[in-house]
Amino acid sequence: MRAITGPVLDNTTTALRKAWHVVATSAEVGNEPVQVWLLGQPWCLVRLDGDRVAAWADRCPHRLAPLSAGRVRGGELECGYHGWRFAVNGGCTAIPAQGDTTPPARAAVDVPWGIDERYGLIWLAPDRPVSDRLPFPEWSHAKFATGMSEIVRTPAGAAQLIDNFLDAAHFPFVHAATFGVPAAAEVRDQGVTRAGSQVETVFETWYREAGRIERQLLRKVGNASLSVRLRLDFPETGHAIAILFCCTPERAGVTRVYKLLARNDLDGDPERLEGFLREEDQILREDLAILERYDHDTVPLNRTVELHTGADRLSLAWRAVMADLVAADPVANTADHLVGAGVTPPPIEARDRPGAPVR
């Protein structure tokens, strides 16, 4: 058992409130309230007027009952316990037990800084985010076929998954059964750049698909969030693959993973698209087979905790962005963290077992 010293990122790091997070798919939110989790806090989501998504903290100020157990009445959220009603801005508009008395101001419910919908996903920012969502233009491009991998929950930390996704040195080892090839062992990038809170690079590497090994230019972009955008361009064939990878830190020991996919060489063939999606599911399982064996779910932001090489430059640039985010947080996660202490994360429901698709 040892300690990771200094600031870290984990699934309860309060600084992550200043980021956009995916909390559900569009299909999961309808005109009945649903509960989602983010950074250890439950939120209540529902569609108002049949379309617009609204969000409130999922605790009524009266008896702390979950508002997701309530219903929509006249464009407002009604608590299922005692009928208190709340407007979109969180203000309490009615307390039935008090008749026509004006509710006190402190009866309000917290609402997030932002709630939005794009790419078939619901995004929530608890506080004003320091970065916007990464663009994913391929999702609506006419030449790209699109789809979403199976959504999974895992005990691996959301920041660990993002850190892994930014890395290129593990390809020949973790992904030897799918796309990794020995020629990709040496990591070559075109230089890591940082503009504000966005970091990116292009790796020059190799990729195996359908028994064919191709040279690829792999662009990875991250910012002050738990999302990464990736684009693979294959100069010899001209085809391209794009991925938007988003990890939700629901609770300590529980991360939900979303993976949006697009590629431009499937010629409208649904079977080829399905095969592509299933292969990407397998690639994620290969990553989880490593990450779920860690004895902790944190990413250290103190650069002296781990031994790094030049191949880690993009990951380290992203960690520097996140270190700035944590340093600006008055409740920063800076305490020492025990590793290998045998702490068991909260149980995950059977249907959401680690690495399993969310039904």
Side-chain angles (χ1 to χ4, degrees):
M1 183 170 61
R2 63 182 178 84
I4 294 178
T5 58
V8 303
L9 288 175
D10 62 23
N11 278 19
T12 59
T13 299
T14 57
L16 291 169
R17 290 180 56 88
K18 293 184 177 181
W20 283 103
H21 300 272
V22 176
V23 291
T25 66
S26 295
E28 290 174 318
V29 182
N31 56 13
E32 296 292 333
V34 295
Q35 183 186 76
V36 299
W37 284 80
L38 178 62
L39 298 169
Q41 177 183 358
W43 293 89
C44 172
L45 306 183
V46 73
R47 290 187 186 275
L48 300 177
D49 306 320
D51 184 39
R52 182 168 54 112
V53 179
W56 300 261
D58 198 21
R59 290 194 177 100
C60 180
H62 180 212
R63 298 288 183 86
L64 306 184
L67 291 171
S68 55
R71 61 195 67 84
V72 173
R73 298 284 193 194
E76 297 181 331
L77 182 64
E78 182 181 88
C79 179
Y81 200 4
H82 296 95
W84 289 32
R85 293 177 65 167
F86 301 93
V88 174
N89 65 4
C92 183
T93 62
I95 300 177
Q98 291 187 340
D100 295 331
T101 303
T102 301
R106 65 188 298 265
V109 178
D110 288 339
V111 295
W113 179 90
I115 184 80
D116 195 15
E117 184 172 11
R118 64 176 65 182
Y119 315 133
L121 301 171
I122 306 299
W123 302 73
L124 186 148
D127 297 332
R128 179 186 291 271
V130 300
S131 294
D132 198 359
R133 285 142 297 182
L134 293 168
F136 193 46
E138 294 85 356
W139 189 252
S140 56
H141 196 291
K143 293 185 178 180
F144 280 79
T146 61
M148 186 184 300
S149 283
E150 288 184 313
I151 301 168
V152 303
R153 280 194 174 94
T154 172
Q160 284 180 312
L161 281 151
I162 294 299
D163 196 61
N164 170 81
F165 202 77
L166 289 166
D167 177 62
H170 71 282
F171 294 168
F173 311 101
V174 175
H175 302 300
T178 49
F179 69 89
V181 295
E186 182 180 353
V187 176
R188 301 176 182 176
D189 66 55
Q190 296 181 356
V192 176
T193 61
R194 175 175 176 177
S197 60
Q198 181 168 299
V199 296
E200 66 177 281
T201 195
V202 175
F203 295 104
E204 301 174 51
T205 185
W206 299 89
Y207 191 96
R208 182 179 67 243
E209 185 177 46
R212 185 178 65 253
I213 297 176
E214 294 185 62
R215 185 168 67 92
Q216 63 162 321
L217 298 177
L218 171 59
R219 181 180 298 276
K220 293 191 176 187
V221 182
N223 62 9
S225 74
L226 296 176
S227 299
V228 175
R229 181 178 180 272
L230 172 156
R231 169 133 175 174
L232 300 83
D233 283 284
F234 299 86
E236 278 72 31
T237 61
H239 77 278
I241 296 173
I243 300 175
L244 183 63
F245 186 70
C246 307
C247 298
T248 307
E250 292 189 320
R251 290 165 281 177
V254 185
T255 298
R256 201 178 195 206
V257 185
Y258 303 80
K259 195 175 183 183
L260 300 187
L261 301 152
R263 64 183 297 166
N264 66 354
D265 65 336
L266 299 182
D267 301 320
D269 187 334
E271 291 187 3
R272 291 182 63 196
L273 176 60
E274 183 67 19
F276 171 53
L277 297 178
R278 298 294 74 81
E279 181 175 19
E280 289 294 332
D281 291 340
Q282 176 59 30
I283 290 170
L284 178 57
R285 285 192 290 268
E286 291 170 349
D287 285 321
L288 292 178
I290 294 290
L291 297 177
E292 290 183 355
R293 296 184 67 130
Y294 271 65
D295 57 3
H296 61 93
D297 64 353
T298 64
V299 168
L301 300 179
N302 177 353
R303 292 182 62 160
T304 66
V305 171
E306 301 167 317
L307 179 62
H308 297 286
T309 72
D312 304 319
R313 295 199 303 168
L314 181 61
S315 295
L316 291 176
W318 175 73
R319 291 188 190 192
V321 167
M322 303 309 284
D324 291 346
L325 182 68
V326 170
D329 180 32
V331 195
N333 191 357
T334 58
D336 291 354
H337 296 262
L338 292 179
V339 175
V343 178
T344 303
I348 302 177
E349 298 86 344
R351 68 182 179 87
D352 297 333
R353 65 189 183 280
V358 176
R359 304 298 183 187

